[in-house]
PDB file of all heavy atoms in Angstrom:
ATOM      1  N   VAL A  14      -5.211-107.942 113.118  1.00 97.00           N
ATOM      2  CA  VAL A  14      -4.663-108.278 114.432  1.00 97.00           C
ATOM      3  C   VAL A  14      -4.423-109.776 114.560  1.00 97.00           C
ATOM      4  O   VAL A  14      -3.364-110.216 115.032  1.00 97.00           O
ATOM      5  CB  VAL A  14      -5.587-107.772 115.560  1.00 97.00           C
ATOM      6  CG1 VAL A  14      -5.133-108.307 116.915  1.00 97.00           C
ATOM      7  CG2 VAL A  14      -5.613-106.255 115.578  1.00 97.00           C
ATOM      8  N   ALA A  15      -5.398-110.594 114.154  1.00 98.00           N
ATOM      9  CA  ALA A  15      -5.231-112.046 114.255  1.00 98.00           C
ATOM     10  C   ALA A  15      -4.043-112.518 113.427  1.00 98.00           C
ATOM     11  O   ALA A  15      -3.296-113.411 113.845  1.00 98.00           O
ATOM     12  CB  ALA A  15      -6.510-112.752 113.802  1.00 98.00           C
ATOM     13  N   GLU A  16      -3.839-111.901 112.266  1.00 98.00           N
ATOM     14  CA  GLU A  16      -2.689-112.260 111.433  1.00 98.00           C
ATOM     15  C   GLU A  16      -1.384-111.936 112.153  1.00 98.00           C
ATOM     16  O   GLU A  16      -0.429-112.732 112.118  1.00 98.00           O
ATOM     17  CB  GLU A  16      -2.749-111.503 110.094  1.00 98.00           C
ATOM     18  CG  GLU A  16      -3.771-112.046 109.111  1.00 98.00           C
ATOM     19  CD  GLU A  16      -5.187-111.520 109.332  1.00 98.00           C
ATOM     20  OE1 GLU A  16      -5.429-110.856 110.375  1.00 98.00           O
ATOM     21  OE2 GLU A  16      -6.042-111.767 108.481  1.00 98.00           O
ATOM     22  N   ARG A  17      -1.342-110.773 112.817  1.00 97.00           N
ATOM     23  CA  ARG A  17      -0.117-110.396 113.534  1.00 97.00           C
ATOM     24  C   ARG A  17       0.144-111.335 114.704  1.00 97.00           C
ATOM     25  O   ARG A  17       1.298-111.569 115.074  1.00 97.00           O
ATOM     26  CB  ARG A  17      -0.211-108.954 114.018  1.00 97.00           C
ATOM     27  CG  ARG A  17      -0.166-107.931 112.886  1.00 97.00           C
ATOM     28  CD  ARG A  17       0.151-106.532 113.402  1.00 97.00           C
ATOM     29  NE  ARG A  17      -0.914-105.986 114.233  1.00 97.00           N
ATOM     30  CZ  ARG A  17      -1.973-105.328 113.772  1.00 97.00           C
ATOM     31  NH1 ARG A  17      -2.135-105.179 112.455  1.00 97.00           N
ATOM     32  NH2 ARG A  17      -2.872-104.843 114.591  1.00 97.00           N
ATOM     33  N   LEU A  18      -0.915-111.879 115.278  1.00 97.00           N
ATOM     34  CA  LEU A  18      -0.752-112.826 116.383  1.00 97.00           C
ATOM     35  C   LEU A  18      -0.353-114.217 115.900  1.00 97.00           C
ATOM     36  O   LEU A  18       0.048-115.063 116.699  1.00 97.00           O
ATOM     37  CB  LEU A  18      -2.049-112.923 117.189  1.00 97.00           C
ATOM     38  CG  LEU A  18      -2.473-111.683 117.975  1.00 97.00           C
ATOM     39  CD1 LEU A  18      -3.859-111.885 118.590  1.00 97.00           C
ATOM     40  CD2 LEU A  18      -1.455-111.354 119.063  1.00 97.00           C
ATOM     41  N   GLY A  19      -0.497-114.454 114.593  1.00 97.00           N
ATOM     42  CA  GLY A  19      -0.146-115.763 114.044  1.00 97.00           C
ATOM     43  C   GLY A  19      -1.292-116.742 114.013  1.00 97.00           C
ATOM     44  O   GLY A  19      -1.081-117.945 113.797  1.00 97.00           O
ATOM     45  N   VAL A  20      -2.529-116.247 114.217  1.00 98.00           N
ATOM     46  CA  VAL A  20      -3.697-117.142 114.222  1.00 98.00           C
ATOM     47  C   VAL A  20      -4.768-116.618 113.259  1.00 98.00           C
ATOM     48  O   VAL A  20      -5.969-116.763 113.504  1.00 98.00           O
ATOM     49  CB  VAL A  20      -4.280-117.313 115.643  1.00 98.00           C
ATOM     50  CG1 VAL A  20      -3.322-118.073 116.525  1.00 98.00           C
ATOM     51  CG2 VAL A  20      -4.621-115.945 116.261  1.00 98.00           C
ATOM     52  N   GLY A  21      -4.313-116.014 112.158  1.00 98.00           N
ATOM     53  CA  GLY A  21      -5.249-115.527 111.156  1.00 98.00           C
ATOM     54  C   GLY A  21      -5.849-116.652 110.351  1.00 98.00           C
ATOM     55  O   GLY A  21      -5.487-117.834 110.517  1.00 98.00           O
ATOM     56  N   PRO A  22      -6.773-116.349 109.449  1.00 98.00           N
ATOM     57  CA  PRO A  22      -7.461-117.382 108.672  1.00 98.00           C
ATOM     58  C   PRO A  22      -6.524-118.266 107.853  1.00 98.00           C
ATOM     59  O   PRO A  22      -6.709-119.483 107.795  1.00 98.00           O
ATOM     60  CB  PRO A  22      -8.394-116.579 107.760  1.00 98.00           C
ATOM     61  CG  PRO A  22      -8.495-115.238 108.347  1.00 98.00           C
ATOM     62  CD  PRO A  22      -7.278-115.004 109.156  1.00 98.00           C
ATOM     63  N   ASP A  23      -5.535-117.676 107.206  1.00 98.00           N
ATOM     64  CA  ASP A  23      -4.647-118.473 106.362  1.00 98.00           C
ATOM     65  C   ASP A  23      -3.920-119.535 107.181  1.00 98.00           C
ATOM     66  O   ASP A  23      -3.823-120.700 106.762  1.00 98.00           O
ATOM     67  CB  ASP A  23      -3.632-117.574 105.653  1.00 98.00           C
ATOM     68  CG  ASP A  23      -4.273-116.692 104.593  1.00 98.00           C
ATOM     69  OD1 ASP A  23      -5.439-116.967 104.220  1.00 98.00           O
ATOM     70  OD2 ASP A  23      -3.620-115.721 104.159  1.00 98.00           O
ATOM     71  N   GLU A  24      -3.401-119.131 108.332  1.00 98.00           N
ATOM     72  CA  GLU A  24      -2.673-120.078 109.172  1.00 98.00           C
ATOM     73  C   GLU A  24      -3.594-121.172 109.709  1.00 98.00           C
ATOM     74  O   GLU A  24      -3.231-122.353 109.747  1.00 98.00           O
ATOM     75  CB  GLU A  24      -2.013-119.340 110.338  1.00 98.00           C
ATOM     76  CG  GLU A  24      -0.996-120.161 111.111  1.00 98.00           C
ATOM     77  CD  GLU A  24       0.152-120.634 110.249  1.00 98.00           C
ATOM     78  OE1 GLU A  24       0.684-119.828 109.469  1.00 98.00           O
ATOM     79  OE2 GLU A  24       0.522-121.821 110.366  1.00 98.00           O
ATOM     80  N   CYS A  25      -4.809-120.778 110.106  1.00 98.00           N
ATOM     81  CA  CYS A  25      -5.749-121.764 110.653  1.00 98.00           C
ATOM     82  C   CYS A  25      -6.236-122.727 109.566  1.00 98.00           C
ATOM     83  O   CYS A  25      -6.345-123.941 109.803  1.00 98.00           O
ATOM     84  CB  CYS A  25      -6.929-121.051 111.302  1.00 98.00           C
ATOM     85  SG  CYS A  25      -6.507-120.211 112.854  1.00 98.00           S
ATOM     86  N   LEU A  26      -6.518-122.221 108.375  1.00 98.00           N
ATOM     87  CA  LEU A  26      -6.964-123.089 107.284  1.00 98.00           C
ATOM     88  C   LEU A  26      -5.842-124.005 106.805  1.00 98.00           C
ATOM     89  O   LEU A  26      -6.085-125.107 106.316  1.00 98.00           O
ATOM     90  CB  LEU A  26      -7.503-122.248 106.129  1.00 98.00           C
ATOM     91  CG  LEU A  26      -8.898-121.663 106.362  1.00 98.00           C
ATOM     92  CD1 LEU A  26      -9.175-120.514 105.406  1.00 98.00           C
ATOM     93  CD2 LEU A  26      -9.961-122.745 106.217  1.00 98.00           C
ATOM     94  N   LYS A  27      -4.608-123.557 106.963  1.00 98.00           N
ATOM     95  CA  LYS A  27      -3.471-124.399 106.612  1.00 98.00           C
ATOM     96  C   LYS A  27      -3.415-125.606 107.560  1.00 98.00           C
ATOM     97  O   LYS A  27      -3.127-126.729 107.144  1.00 98.00           O
ATOM     98  CB  LYS A  27      -2.181-123.588 106.707  1.00 98.00           C
ATOM     99  CG  LYS A  27      -0.940-124.320 106.212  1.00 98.00           C
ATOM    100  CD  LYS A  27       0.317-123.501 106.465  1.00 98.00           C
ATOM    101  CE  LYS A  27       0.227-122.117 105.821  1.00 98.00           C
ATOM    102  NZ  LYS A  27       1.478-121.327 106.076  1.00 98.00           N
ATOM    103  N   ARG A  28      -3.704-125.355 108.833  1.00 98.00           N
ATOM    104  CA  ARG A  28      -3.692-126.430 109.823  1.00 98.00           C
ATOM    105  C   ARG A  28      -4.924-127.322 109.713  1.00 98.00           C
ATOM    106  O   ARG A  28      -4.870-128.507 110.009  1.00 98.00           O
ATOM    107  CB  ARG A  28      -3.627-125.845 111.239  1.00 98.00           C
ATOM    108  CG  ARG A  28      -2.357-125.099 111.574  1.00 98.00           C
ATOM    109  CD  ARG A  28      -1.125-126.011 111.548  1.00 98.00           C
ATOM    110  NE  ARG A  28       0.050-125.323 112.034  1.00 98.00           N
ATOM    111  CZ  ARG A  28       0.534-125.461 113.276  1.00 98.00           C
ATOM    112  NH1 ARG A  28      -0.054-126.271 114.147  1.00 98.00           N
ATOM    113  NH2 ARG A  28       1.608-124.788 113.642  1.00 98.00           N
ATOM    114  N   ASN A  29      -6.049-126.713 109.320  1.00 98.00           N
ATOM    115  CA  ASN A  29      -7.310-127.451 109.266  1.00 98.00           C
ATOM    116  C   ASN A  29      -8.137-126.906 108.097  1.00 98.00           C
ATOM    117  O   ASN A  29      -8.859-125.925 108.244  1.00 98.00           O
ATOM    118  CB  ASN A  29      -8.070-127.285 110.586  1.00 98.00           C
ATOM    119  CG  ASN A  29      -9.387-128.038 110.615  1.00 98.00           C
ATOM    120  OD1 ASN A  29      -9.821-128.601 109.612  1.00 98.00           O
ATOM    121  ND2 ASN A  29     -10.050-128.035 111.763  1.00 98.00           N
ATOM    122  N   PRO A  30      -8.036-127.531 106.919  1.00 98.00           N
ATOM    123  CA  PRO A  30      -8.726-127.007 105.727  1.00 98.00           C
ATOM    124  C   PRO A  30     -10.241-126.943 105.852  1.00 98.00           C
ATOM    125  O   PRO A  30     -10.896-126.265 105.058  1.00 98.00           O
ATOM    126  CB  PRO A  30      -8.312-128.003 104.627  1.00 98.00           C
ATOM    127  CG  PRO A  30      -7.044-128.619 105.123  1.00 98.00           C
ATOM    128  CD  PRO A  30      -7.198-128.702 106.609  1.00 98.00           C
ATOM    129  N   LYS A  31     -10.789-127.617 106.860  1.00 98.00           N
ATOM    130  CA  LYS A  31     -12.248-127.630 107.019  1.00 98.00           C
ATOM    131  C   LYS A  31     -12.726-126.610 108.062  1.00 98.00           C
ATOM    132  O   LYS A  31     -13.926-126.466 108.283  1.00 98.00           O
ATOM    133  CB  LYS A  31     -12.705-129.037 107.408  1.00 98.00           C
ATOM    134  CG  LYS A  31     -14.184-129.298 107.222  1.00 98.00           C
ATOM    135  CD  LYS A  31     -14.540-130.736 107.594  1.00 98.00           C
ATOM    136  CE  LYS A  31     -16.039-130.981 107.476  1.00 98.00           C
ATOM    137  NZ  LYS A  31     -16.414-132.369 107.848  1.00 98.00           N
ATOM    138  N   ILE A  32     -11.788-125.884 108.662  1.00 98.00           N
ATOM    139  CA  ILE A  32     -12.168-124.967 109.738  1.00 98.00           C
ATOM    140  C   ILE A  32     -13.022-123.817 109.197  1.00 98.00           C
ATOM    141  O   ILE A  32     -12.783-123.296 108.113  1.00 98.00           O
ATOM    142  CB  ILE A  32     -10.920-124.409 110.454  1.00 98.00           C
ATOM    143  CG1 ILE A  32     -11.288-123.773 111.801  1.00 98.00           C
ATOM    144  CG2 ILE A  32     -10.201-123.377 109.588  1.00 98.00           C
ATOM    145  CD1 ILE A  32     -11.436-124.749 112.906  1.00 98.00           C
ATOM    146  N   VAL A  33     -14.046-123.446 109.955  1.00 98.00           N
ATOM    147  CA  VAL A  33     -14.836-122.251 109.662  1.00 98.00           C
ATOM    148  C   VAL A  33     -14.297-121.141 110.541  1.00 98.00           C
ATOM    149  O   VAL A  33     -14.241-121.276 111.768  1.00 98.00           O
ATOM    150  CB  VAL A  33     -16.332-122.501 109.929  1.00 98.00           C
ATOM    151  CG1 VAL A  33     -17.108-121.191 109.929  1.00 98.00           C
ATOM    152  CG2 VAL A  33     -16.896-123.461 108.893  1.00 98.00           C
ATOM    153  N   TYR A  34     -13.880-120.052 109.921  1.00 98.00           N
ATOM    154  CA  TYR A  34     -13.222-118.969 110.639  1.00 98.00           C
ATOM    155  C   TYR A  34     -14.132-117.732 110.633  1.00 98.00           C
ATOM    156  O   TYR A  34     -14.315-117.084 109.613  1.00 98.00           O
ATOM    157  CB  TYR A  34     -11.882-118.636 109.963  1.00 98.00           C
ATOM    158  CG  TYR A  34     -10.947-117.783 110.787  1.00 98.00           C
ATOM    159  CD1 TYR A  34      -9.821-118.316 111.392  1.00 98.00           C
ATOM    160  CD2 TYR A  34     -11.186-116.415 110.950  1.00 98.00           C
ATOM    161  CE1 TYR A  34      -8.954-117.527 112.142  1.00 98.00           C
ATOM    162  CE2 TYR A  34     -10.346-115.627 111.698  1.00 98.00           C
ATOM    163  CZ  TYR A  34      -9.225-116.191 112.301  1.00 98.00           C
ATOM    164  OH  TYR A  34      -8.385-115.407 113.047  1.00 98.00           O
ATOM    165  N   GLY A  35     -14.693-117.407 111.785  1.00 98.00           N
ATOM    166  CA  GLY A  35     -15.594-116.266 111.902  1.00 98.00           C
ATOM    167  C   GLY A  35     -14.860-115.008 112.334  1.00 98.00           C
ATOM    168  O   GLY A  35     -14.070-115.040 113.279  1.00 98.00           O
ATOM    169  N   ARG A  36     -15.134-113.910 111.624  1.00 98.00           N
ATOM    170  CA  ARG A  36     -14.535-112.625 111.962  1.00 98.00           C
ATOM    171  C   ARG A  36     -15.641-111.595 112.144  1.00 98.00           C
ATOM    172  O   ARG A  36     -16.408-111.331 111.219  1.00 98.00           O
ATOM    173  CB  ARG A  36     -13.581-112.156 110.855  1.00 98.00           C
ATOM    174  CG  ARG A  36     -12.674-113.218 110.308  1.00 98.00           C
ATOM    175  CD  ARG A  36     -11.532-112.650 109.487  1.00 98.00           C
ATOM    176  NE  ARG A  36     -10.484-112.136 110.372  1.00 98.00           N
ATOM    177  CZ  ARG A  36      -9.273-111.747 109.946  1.00 98.00           C
ATOM    178  NH1 ARG A  36      -9.007-111.752 108.651  1.00 98.00           N
ATOM    179  NH2 ARG A  36      -8.367-111.321 110.789  1.00 98.00           N
ATOM    180  N   MET A  37     -15.729-111.041 113.335  1.00 98.00           N
ATOM    181  CA  MET A  37     -16.773-110.049 113.595  1.00 98.00           C
ATOM    182  C   MET A  37     -16.133-108.695 113.911  1.00 98.00           C
ATOM    183  O   MET A  37     -15.306-108.572 114.815  1.00 98.00           O
ATOM    184  CB  MET A  37     -17.670-110.477 114.747  1.00 98.00           C
ATOM    185  CG  MET A  37     -18.792-109.484 115.029  1.00 98.00           C
ATOM    186  SD  MET A  37     -20.046-110.149 116.131  1.00 98.00           S
ATOM    187  CE  MET A  37     -19.038-110.659 117.514  1.00 98.00           C
ATOM    188  N   THR A  38     -16.520-107.699 113.147  1.00 98.00           N
ATOM    189  CA  THR A  38     -16.070-106.331 113.356  1.00 98.00           C
ATOM    190  C   THR A  38     -17.253-105.392 113.170  1.00 98.00           C
ATOM    191  O   THR A  38     -18.312-105.798 112.690  1.00 98.00           O
ATOM    192  CB  THR A  38     -14.967-105.941 112.352  1.00 98.00           C
ATOM    193  OG1 THR A  38     -15.490-106.084 111.030  1.00 98.00           O
ATOM    194  CG2 THR A  38     -13.733-106.801 112.518  1.00 98.00           C
ATOM    195  N   GLY A  39     -17.051-104.132 113.524  1.00 97.00           N
ATOM    196  CA  GLY A  39     -18.101-103.148 113.289  1.00 97.00           C
ATOM    197  C   GLY A  39     -18.185-102.725 111.840  1.00 97.00           C
ATOM    198  O   GLY A  39     -19.255-102.713 111.241  1.00 97.00           O
ATOM    199  N   TRP A  40     -17.018-102.399 111.253  1.00 98.00           N
ATOM    200  CA  TRP A  40     -16.990-101.827 109.912  1.00 98.00           C
ATOM    201  C   TRP A  40     -16.745-102.859 108.821  1.00 98.00           C
ATOM    202  O   TRP A  40     -16.964-102.562 107.644  1.00 98.00           O
ATOM    203  CB  TRP A  40     -15.901-100.762 109.822  1.00 98.00           C
ATOM    204  CG  TRP A  40     -15.982 -99.671 110.838  1.00 98.00           C
ATOM    205  CD1 TRP A  40     -15.100 -99.417 111.841  1.00 98.00           C
ATOM    206  CD2 TRP A  40     -16.989 -98.660 110.964  1.00 98.00           C
ATOM    207  NE1 TRP A  40     -15.478 -98.322 112.582  1.00 98.00           N
ATOM    208  CE2 TRP A  40     -16.649 -97.829 112.061  1.00 98.00           C
ATOM    209  CE3 TRP A  40     -18.162 -98.376 110.249  1.00 98.00           C
ATOM    210  CZ2 TRP A  40     -17.420 -96.749 112.459  1.00 98.00           C
ATOM    211  CZ3 TRP A  40     -18.937 -97.284 110.651  1.00 98.00           C
ATOM    212  CH2 TRP A  40     -18.561 -96.482 111.732  1.00 98.00           C
ATOM    213  N   GLY A  41     -16.277-104.054 109.164  1.00 98.00           N
ATOM    214  CA  GLY A  41     -15.971-105.064 108.165  1.00 98.00           C
ATOM    215  C   GLY A  41     -14.478-105.164 107.908  1.00 98.00           C
ATOM    216  O   GLY A  41     -13.684-104.348 108.392  1.00 98.00           O
ATOM    217  N   GLN A  42     -14.089-106.174 107.156  1.00 98.00           N
ATOM    218  CA  GLN A  42     -12.681-106.425 106.888  1.00 98.00           C
ATOM    219  C   GLN A  42     -12.096-105.460 105.852  1.00 98.00           C
ATOM    220  O   GLN A  42     -10.893-105.305 105.770  1.00 98.00           O
ATOM    221  CB  GLN A  42     -12.494-107.869 106.414  1.00 98.00           C
ATOM    222  CG  GLN A  42     -12.855-108.914 107.456  1.00 98.00           C
ATOM    223  CD  GLN A  42     -11.988-108.830 108.701  1.00 98.00           C
ATOM    224  OE1 GLN A  42     -10.776-108.768 108.613  1.00 98.00           O
ATOM    225  NE2 GLN A  42     -12.619-108.816 109.879  1.00 98.00           N
ATOM    226  N   GLU A  43     -12.947-104.861 105.027  1.00 97.00           N
ATOM    227  CA  GLU A  43     -12.482-103.893 104.033  1.00 97.00           C
ATOM    228  C   GLU A  43     -13.319-102.621 104.115  1.00 97.00           C
ATOM    229  O   GLU A  43     -14.351-102.606 104.756  1.00 97.00           O
ATOM    230  CB  GLU A  43     -12.600-104.461 102.612  1.00 97.00           C
ATOM    231  CG  GLU A  43     -11.726-105.661 102.338  1.00 97.00           C
ATOM    232  CD  GLU A  43     -12.544-106.925 102.219  1.00 97.00           C
ATOM    233  OE1 GLU A  43     -13.775-106.812 102.090  1.00 97.00           O
ATOM    234  OE2 GLU A  43     -11.953-108.009 102.264  1.00 97.00           O
ATOM    235  N   GLY A  44     -12.850-101.608 103.407  1.00 97.00           N
ATOM    236  CA  GLY A  44     -13.570-100.342 103.357  1.00 97.00           C
ATOM    237  C   GLY A  44     -12.783 -99.242 104.029  1.00 97.00           C
ATOM    238  O   GLY A  44     -11.877 -99.500 104.842  1.00 97.00           O
ATOM    239  N   PRO A  45     -13.094 -97.973 103.722  1.00 98.00           N
ATOM    240  CA  PRO A  45     -12.332 -96.836 104.252  1.00 98.00           C
ATOM    241  C   PRO A  45     -12.288 -96.769 105.775  1.00 98.00           C
ATOM    242  O   PRO A  45     -11.336 -96.224 106.337  1.00 98.00           O
ATOM    243  CB  PRO A  45     -13.068 -95.622 103.673  1.00 98.00           C
ATOM    244  CG  PRO A  45     -13.787 -96.129 102.477  1.00 98.00           C
ATOM    245  CD  PRO A  45     -14.153 -97.540 102.777  1.00 98.00           C
ATOM    246  N   LEU A  46     -13.302 -97.312 106.463  1.00 97.00           N
ATOM    247  CA  LEU A  46     -13.349 -97.218 107.928  1.00 97.00           C
ATOM    248  C   LEU A  46     -12.908 -98.495 108.626  1.00 97.00           C
ATOM    249  O   LEU A  46     -13.004 -98.587 109.857  1.00 97.00           O
ATOM    250  CB  LEU A  46     -14.775 -96.869 108.374  1.00 97.00           C
ATOM    251  CG  LEU A  46     -15.315 -95.506 107.948  1.00 97.00           C
ATOM    252  CD1 LEU A  46     -16.763 -95.347 108.375  1.00 97.00           C
ATOM    253  CD2 LEU A  46     -14.466 -94.383 108.533  1.00 97.00           C
ATOM    254  N   SER A  47     -12.432 -99.475 107.884  1.00 97.00           N
ATOM    255  CA  SER A  47     -12.180-100.801 108.464  1.00 97.00           C
ATOM    256  C   SER A  47     -11.202-100.772 109.635  1.00 97.00           C
ATOM    257  O   SER A  47     -11.288-101.621 110.531  1.00 97.00           O
ATOM    258  CB  SER A  47     -11.683-101.771 107.395  1.00 97.00           C
ATOM    259  OG  SER A  47     -10.460-101.328 106.832  1.00 97.00           O
ATOM    260  N   GLN A  48     -10.278 -99.810 109.659  1.00 97.00           N
ATOM    261  CA  GLN A  48      -9.300 -99.744 110.746  1.00 97.00           C
ATOM    262  C   GLN A  48      -9.689 -98.748 111.837  1.00 97.00           C
ATOM    263  O   GLN A  48      -8.949 -98.568 112.808  1.00 97.00           O
ATOM    264  CB  GLN A  48      -7.928 -99.381 110.182  1.00 97.00           C
ATOM    265  CG  GLN A  48      -7.284-100.480 109.357  1.00 97.00           C
ATOM    266  CD  GLN A  48      -6.982-101.720 110.178  1.00 97.00           C
ATOM    267  OE1 GLN A  48      -6.677-101.652 111.363  1.00 97.00           O
ATOM    268  NE2 GLN A  48      -7.071-102.881 109.541  1.00 97.00           N
ATOM    269  N   ALA A  49     -10.824 -98.103 111.690  1.00 97.00           N
ATOM    270  CA  ALA A  49     -11.238 -97.096 112.673  1.00 97.00           C
ATOM    271  C   ALA A  49     -11.907 -97.745 113.883  1.00 97.00           C
ATOM    272  O   ALA A  49     -12.543 -98.797 113.779  1.00 97.00           O
ATOM    273  CB  ALA A  49     -12.206 -96.103 112.027  1.00 97.00           C
ATOM    274  N   ALA A  50     -11.755 -97.105 115.032  1.00 96.00           N
ATOM    275  CA  ALA A  50     -12.476 -97.546 116.222  1.00 96.00           C
ATOM    276  C   ALA A  50     -13.947 -97.191 116.078  1.00 96.00           C
ATOM    277  O   ALA A  50     -14.319 -96.295 115.310  1.00 96.00           O
ATOM    278  CB  ALA A  50     -11.890 -96.892 117.469  1.00 96.00           C
ATOM    279  N   GLY A  51     -14.788 -97.867 116.812  1.00 97.00           N
ATOM    280  CA  GLY A  51     -16.215 -97.574 116.761  1.00 97.00           C
ATOM    281  C   GLY A  51     -16.980 -98.390 117.777  1.00 97.00           C
ATOM    282  O   GLY A  51     -16.439 -99.314 118.396  1.00 97.00           O
ATOM    283  N   HIS A  52     -18.226 -98.038 117.955  1.00 97.00           N
ATOM    284  CA  HIS A  52     -19.137 -98.788 118.814  1.00 97.00           C
ATOM    285  C   HIS A  52     -20.488 -98.888 118.116  1.00 97.00           C
ATOM    286  O   HIS A  52     -20.713 -98.259 117.065  1.00 97.00           O
ATOM    287  CB  HIS A  52     -19.274 -98.130 120.188  1.00 97.00           C
ATOM    288  CG  HIS A  52     -18.170 -98.490 121.135  1.00 97.00           C
ATOM    289  ND1 HIS A  52     -17.955 -99.783 121.564  1.00 97.00           N
ATOM    290  CD2 HIS A  52     -17.217 -97.729 121.729  1.00 97.00           C
ATOM    291  CE1 HIS A  52     -16.932 -99.811 122.387  1.00 97.00           C
ATOM    292  NE2 HIS A  52     -16.453 -98.574 122.505  1.00 97.00           N
TER     293      HIS A  52
END
């Protein structure tokens, strides 16, 4: 989603190579359930 908005990690690191980019999800960025909804 952040990539589609234009503010994903690659774009942010390009603007600021020292930026720490935190991503919090339930299932993680990869894996069979990564795109599934959950709580």
Side-chain angles (χ1 to χ4, degrees):
V14 171
E16 285 84 351
R17 291 197 293 274
L18 293 173
V20 292
D23 291 346
E24 192 60 45
C25 289
L26 284 162
K27 186 186 304 180
R28 295 296 187 100
N29 181 353
K31 197 178 177 181
I32 196 82
V33 167
Y34 195 106
R36 316 194 79 170
M37 181 167 54
T38 59
W40 305 114
Q42 296 298 311
E43 296 109 14
L46 295 176
S47 61
Q48 290 296 327
H52 277 297

